[in-house]
Amino acid sequence: MKITVVGAGAVGATCADNIARKELAEELIVLDIKEGFAEGKAIDIMQTSGLLGFDTKVKGVTNDYAATADSEVVVITSGLPRKPGMTREELIGTNAGIVKSVTENILKYSPNTIIIVVSNPMDTMNYLTLKTSGLPKERILGMGGALDSSRFKYYLSQELGCSQADLNAVVIGGHGDTTMIPLIKHATWNSIPVTNFLTEEQQEKVVSATMVGGATLTKLIGTSAWYAPGAGTASMVESIVRDEKKLISCGVALDGEYGQKDISLVVPVVLGKNGWEKIVNFNLSEQEQAAFNKSADAVRNMNQVLRD
Ligand code: NAI
């Protein structure tokens, strides 16, 4: 198994570190455009191998796509991150150019790979990859829901005073501060609805904290987060390479599911060796479906920029 991570920055390197520790591949290539940067990050990760005892061989390269040949999964994290006060949407101009050229270069050497898009604004970058790659839609996934659902669990656990491991909580919609939809009415604590334990006010607090979870960290850190994004991406890679069939919220092309078409949005999918295998339907209430449609409108508007 060979995996490539493009972009050796904060998220890419953290994702690579998780992949190596979990031994999800025999060979892991980390590629960056900045001379020597990926090489340095890869050597640093390899120098933890003696301490942690993993056998994945991590190699860093500067823009050498031939080294990525025959990768079964490619993660794209290249692009600018947000600065405090910025929205993910403001990154679109620069990141669209980067994601498009990276996708084209990757496909020259791994024409049948599975691509996970992390670069922001993720919904639009994933849509762009769907349109430019020509790959079957099942092989293109956006990372956002894994992260947002995990942030949702964190805020729920804070409010409930419980273990995150006992929670089931899902975010769908767009991967933006105003477009994501934490499905609070469907969240459970060991199968019991969390709404049994939380007041309306507490529920609203959790939902809004989740929606601005990324912005909160950007303000604190000065740039966007990386531990949870890196781990969220690696959890998707793991379900694919180990064919685990985990149900994970991912950005995927919708073709009528959830009432939407010709768009990438975050919904729960079963992830296995061929990419996403099945979109799982939630019985959304009228209010939740209306919120989903509103997110779709916002994302569609953003996608329009690609055509302008
Ligand atoms: P970073 O600035 O630390 O790393 C980005 C890396 O991409 C840099 O090392 C840069 O040299 C490299 N790069 C730029 N152009 C390239 C190209 N053409 N080819 C190869 N490498 C190139 O940024 P960070 O924090 O790692 O974030 C990366 C992206 O992921 C950003 O767009 C950020 O907004 C996004 N992100 C998405 C999340 C999600 O949930 N989908 C969560 C967190 C970040």
Side-chain angles (χ1 to χ4, degrees):
M1 173 69 64
K2 180 170 173 181
I3 297 175
T4 290
V5 176
V6 180
V11 177
T14 308
C15 174
D17 187 38
N18 277 280
I19 290 171
R21 285 176 193 234
K22 286 169 176 267
E23 297 185 314
L24 300 182
E26 282 82 44
E27 195 183 357
L28 173 60
I29 304 294
V30 184
L31 180 148
D32 202 283
I33 199 167
K34 222 188 298 171
E35 189 69 43
F37 192 59
E39 286 85 338
K41 292 284 184 102
I43 292 169
D44 194 10
I45 294 173
M46 281 305 286
Q47 290 175 352
T48 69
S49 159
L51 300 163
L52 302 172
F54 60 79
D55 271 331
T56 295
K57 303 278 175 288
V58 190
K59 187 180 171 207
V61 296
T62 305
N63 243 9
D64 174 12
Y65 281 88
T68 70
D70 302 321
S71 292
E72 277 153 89
V73 181
V74 175
V75 175
I76 301 181
T77 74
S78 46
L80 297 183
R82 317 196 249 180
K83 294 284 171 238
M86 271 177 102
T87 64
R88 296 173 177 91
E89 290 76 4
E90 286 173 71
L91 303 167
I92 194 165
T94 313
N95 286 358
I98 294 174
V99 169
K100 187 163 184 281
S101 80
V102 166
T103 304
E104 287 163 356
N105 282 320
I106 282 294
L107 289 173
K108 281 183 205 157
Y109 296 94
S110 304
N112 197 32
T113 193
I114 293 174
I115 298 182
I116 300 178
V117 178
V118 182
S119 312
N120 272 320
M122 183 280 284
D123 305 300
T124 299
M125 293 305 107
N126 201 44
Y127 181 76
L128 174 67
T129 308
L130 276 156
K131 291 286 165 193
T132 53
S133 70
L135 283 171
K137 62 182 182 189
E138 294 78 11
R139 301 182 86 76
I140 309 277
L141 294 140
M143 199 293 290
L147 170 66
D148 298 331
S149 300
S150 191
R151 286 182 173 153
F152 188 19
K153 283 187 194 168
Y154 166 76
Y155 286 113
L156 278 170
S157 75
Q158 295 291 299
E159 210 54 39
L160 289 162
C162 74
S163 160
Q164 293 183 50
D166 285 344
L167 292 168
N168 259 307
V170 172
V171 174
I172 62 168
H175 174 60
D177 295 0
T178 55
T179 56
M180 72 177 76
I181 307 162
L183 290 174
I184 188 95
K185 306 285 182 218
H186 299 263
T188 58
W189 178 10
N190 265 344
S191 307
I192 307 165
V194 298
T195 49
N196 287 17
F197 307 100
L198 301 175
T199 62
E200 283 289 335
E201 202 180 308
Q202 285 177 303
Q203 292 174 39
E204 273 164 32
K205 185 175 156 201
V206 167
V207 167
S208 34
T210 303
M211 292 175 78
V212 296
T216 302
L217 293 180
T218 303
K219 212 153 118 197
L220 289 169
I221 303 171
T223 185
S224 63
W226 56 86
Y227 292 114
T233 311
S235 75
M236 291 168 64
V237 174
E238 185 169 21
S239 192
I240 294 167
V241 305
R242 299 212 160 119
D243 197 21
E244 288 177 332
K245 320 261 189 224
K246 284 219 168 117
L247 188 58
I248 301 180
S249 281
C250 300
V252 296
L254 297 182
D255 190 18
E257 299 90 351
Y258 287 84
Q260 296 296 333
K261 265 185 179 190
D262 192 30
I263 194 164
S264 165
L265 284 169
V266 173
V267 294
V269 297
V270 177
L271 274 188
K273 64 179 188 308
N274 297 314
W276 64 265
E277 298 183 352
K278 188 174 159 188
I279 292 177
V280 175
N281 203 26
F282 258 107
N283 284 326
L284 298 183
S285 66
E286 227 169 85
Q287 202 184 0
E288 289 161 343
Q289 183 64 53
F292 194 84
N293 295 345
K294 201 166 156 227
S295 296
D297 289 344
V299 169
R300 205 167 267 119
N301 260 343
M302 201 163 39
N303 293 350
Q304 191 58 40
V305 176
L306 301 174
R307 296 193 186 97
D308 295 341

